Amino acid sequence: MKEMQKITSFTIDHLKLLPGLYVSRKDKVEHATVTTFDIRITRPNTEPVMDNPAIHALEHLGATFLRNHDQWKDRVVYFGPMGCRTGFYLLLAGDHSSDDIFDLMKEMFTFIAGFDGAIPGASPRDCGNCLDMNLPMARYYAQKYLDTVLCERQPERLTYPE
């Protein structure tokens, strides 16, 4: 078996990576570009990872918000958690920068931090694990991200470390 190349996300120095909003990669799909964003909520290998119920609630709320956003809904390809449980990936059709979606992320995390009510899609009919959600912790992580990353544009939180 030939040696496999590291995928892009494994080439980032996670020891230097701060919570932030990063462009992970840009892929060409036929004649279109898809931009993958790394929405890093906790600091890898330093802070505790997010628990699954909080991640699940963040995923349902984030995906619902994005797919209903008047300006961005038609560009959303995917929103979901990283396996390491330190953040999320957002894939958008088009060639975008972190700065392009800064306000969108601020809107989304403000929505999640203030959300009160039934989590969209959290029913046995709509979800394969609807009982595994934690809204208070999802709100906590959303507020943490707002306070740490989205409080102002910080270059070190918008571009991967060298």
Side-chain angles (χ1 to χ4, degrees):
M1 180 176 185
K2 79 175 194 178
E3 186 176 340
M4 292 191 283
Q5 294 181 345
K6 280 187 177 181
I7 62 172
T8 305
S9 61
F10 296 161
T11 65
I12 304 306
D13 187 345
H14 285 68
L15 298 173
K16 296 179 182 176
L17 190 59
L18 298 173
L21 175 60
Y22 307 104
V23 171
S24 175
R25 60 185 292 146
K26 293 183 182 187
D27 295 293
K28 286 286 188 189
V29 181
E30 294 185 5
H31 301 291
T33 300
V34 175
T35 304
T36 300
F37 290 95
D38 172 334
I39 301 169
R40 193 66 61 149
I41 296 175
T42 64
R43 188 167 182 185
N45 304 304
T46 303
E47 294 181 79
V49 298
M50 295 180 287
D51 68 338
N52 283 330
I55 290 170
H56 197 187
L58 281 161
E59 176 194 17
H60 274 242
L61 291 167
T64 300
F65 175 85
L66 291 165
R67 293 193 181 275
N68 281 278
H69 193 277
D70 287 340
Q71 181 184 350
W72 289 93
K73 65 183 175 187
D74 294 332
R75 291 179 251 185
V76 175
V77 176
Y78 173 78
F79 175 75
M82 296 175 178
C84 63
R85 299 186 299 158
T86 62
F88 289 81
Y89 286 117
L90 170 61
L91 280 69
L92 293 176
D95 187 345
H96 302 288
S97 69
S98 296
D99 200 53
D100 292 342
I101 68 159
F102 190 88
D103 291 336
L104 173 66
M105 291 297 95
K106 201 168 193 174
E107 261 186 84
M108 182 179 89
F109 281 96
T110 299
F111 167 77
I112 295 169
F115 187 83
D116 189 25
I119 297 172
S123 71
R125 181 186 169 277
D126 299 340
C127 177
N129 194 9
C130 66
L131 298 179
D132 190 33
M133 295 207 198
N134 186 333
L135 179 57
M137 283 307 297
R139 291 174 61 171
Y140 165 82
Y141 284 117
Q143 189 62 56
K144 176 187 183 299
Y145 195 71
L146 284 165
D147 294 343
T148 304
V149 176
L150 300 173
C151 57
E152 61 182 285
R153 284 176 169 81
Q154 306 162 70
E156 69 276 12
R157 294 187 187 269
L158 298 175
T159 305
Y160 276 141
E162 295 292 319

